[in-house]
Amino acid sequence: MKLTFTLVIAGYSFLLSSCVVYMPMQCAAPQITDKKQAEVTGSTYLNGRVEVAGTYSPVRHLLVLASYSTLRDDTKDSTYYRGHQYDLGVGTCWRLGDQWLVGALGGFGQAQSAAAYSTGGFIFGYPTRHEFDARYNKVFGEVYGTLQASNTVSVGAAYRVTQVNFTNLTDQSTPVDLGRMTRSEPMFFMRVRLGDGPTEDRPVQLQVAWGTSGTFGYNEKDTNTSYPAGVRDLKQSRGYTTIGITLFPHCLFRKVQSDIGVH
């Protein structure tokens, strides 16, 4: 746990960048291994955004999922970020031996967000003021893999590609010339299953995750290419760190049945 805490603090300054209007959701990478299993996860991003997600397997190798994320900034400062969004999807999962779990997911979602901030002008001239307002649809695909290193600890990685299609995008009420962008979104995570006994009997799990989101085809070091006003900010890479807790209802039910002697 000390190692996890150290990694969170070390990655904070790099991964906690401003959101602008596209706020990447963390990869799902569920820990479900068989049919009739479910998990419910609550996570917080280090910028204050919260996310709730649920995944269920009605039949073997099939996953259905839903997630919702919100960031509320009610301050009256000139700089703010706020928004909400949801994802819905289906997928598959497969056990490879006793230690490996792999899967793939695909789905869609919608979002509404706003951001306001100023850039430049700190030494010479006047700062540039941005007040973005956006609504967008998105489709995504994801693959993931998890290594169960012990009954307690697992580590893994996931990779998501998200296509963002803006239905409304303005900066200070002026339309921004950006209809869509496709994002590359890798994520790494560490999980700790609380309790004693086999992993599958432990109903509570803690997770810390680190991820990034960058636009395909966009070179942040290229200062020669001219972009429409505001587009460069919207296409920049973003990072995130999350801390979450997951409950496995099927483990809880199995524990209750065991405690009362139901077989």
Side-chain angles (χ1 to χ4, degrees):
M1 293 302 292
K2 289 183 178 180
L3 175 60
T4 300
F5 180 77
T6 301
L7 290 173
V8 170
I9 298 301
Y12 181 85
S13 60
F14 173 71
L15 293 175
L16 186 57
S17 56
S18 59
C19 302
V20 187
V21 294
Y22 174 66
M23 303 180 187
M25 296 181 74
Q26 65 180 340
C27 298
Q31 198 71 20
I32 290 176
T33 59
D34 205 351
K35 64 181 180 180
K36 305 301 181 183
Q37 294 185 0
E39 67 174 44
V40 179
T41 301
S43 303
T44 179
Y45 294 70
L46 295 188
N47 63 355
R49 182 154 58 111
V50 296
E51 183 173 310
V52 178
T55 308
Y56 177 64
S57 177
V59 297
R60 195 175 185 186
H61 302 309
L62 176 65
L63 301 171
V64 293
L65 65 98
S67 57
Y68 176 79
S69 176
T70 183
L71 172 61
R72 296 189 60 183
D73 186 346
D74 295 327
T75 66
K76 296 183 179 180
D77 294 341
S78 60
T79 299
Y80 61 80
Y81 302 96
R82 51 178 173 256
H84 56 269
Q85 60 185 308
Y86 72 85
D87 281 350
L88 298 174
V90 296
T92 185
C93 61
W94 296 80
R95 293 287 298 269
L96 301 180
D98 296 330
Q99 291 183 296
W100 285 96
L101 172 66
V102 297
L105 303 160
F108 67 93
Q110 290 183 311
Q112 179 177 350
S113 61
Y117 59 93
S118 298
T119 59
F122 298 107
I123 299 177
F124 301 104
Y126 295 94
T128 300
R129 176 70 177 171
H130 292 289
E131 294 181 5
F132 289 107
D133 184 77
R135 291 172 176 79
Y136 55 87
N137 302 322
K138 54 182 176 172
V139 293
F140 67 89
E142 175 187 323
V143 293
Y144 66 92
T146 304
L147 170 64
Q148 194 69 46
S150 69
N151 285 333
T152 300
V153 177
S154 61
V155 294
Y159 180 69
R160 176 177 288 202
V161 176
T162 302
Q163 180 173 292
V164 181
N165 300 294
F166 291 102
T167 58
N168 179 74
L169 179 59
T170 60
D171 185 4
Q172 299 195 85
S173 300
T174 300
V176 177
D177 187 15
L178 180 63
R180 67 177 58 185
M181 60 182 176
T182 304
R183 309 283 290 195
S184 171
E185 301 175 333
M187 185 185 87
F188 302 91
F189 56 86
M190 176 186 296
R191 294 166 175 168
V192 176
R193 205 74 172 249
L194 303 182
D196 299 318
T199 302
E200 295 292 333
D201 292 338
R202 303 185 186 190
V204 180
Q205 176 178 269
L206 303 180
Q207 173 180 288
V208 57
W210 305 267
T212 61
S213 174
T215 303
F216 279 106
Y218 174 70
N219 183 358
E220 297 188 26
K221 297 181 180 180
D222 180 9
T223 59
N224 297 320
T225 303
S226 177
Y227 290 94
V231 170
R232 185 178 294 276
D233 282 2
L234 296 173
K235 285 192 171 186
Q236 286 181 355
S237 297
R238 304 294 171 211
Y240 63 83
T241 300
T242 67
I243 300 173
I245 183 170
T246 299
L247 300 179
F248 299 91
H250 58 279
C251 293
L252 292 172
F253 294 151
R254 188 160 58 233
K255 181 175 176 58
V256 170
Q257 290 178 341
S258 176
D259 289 343
I260 63 177
V262 175
H263 300 285

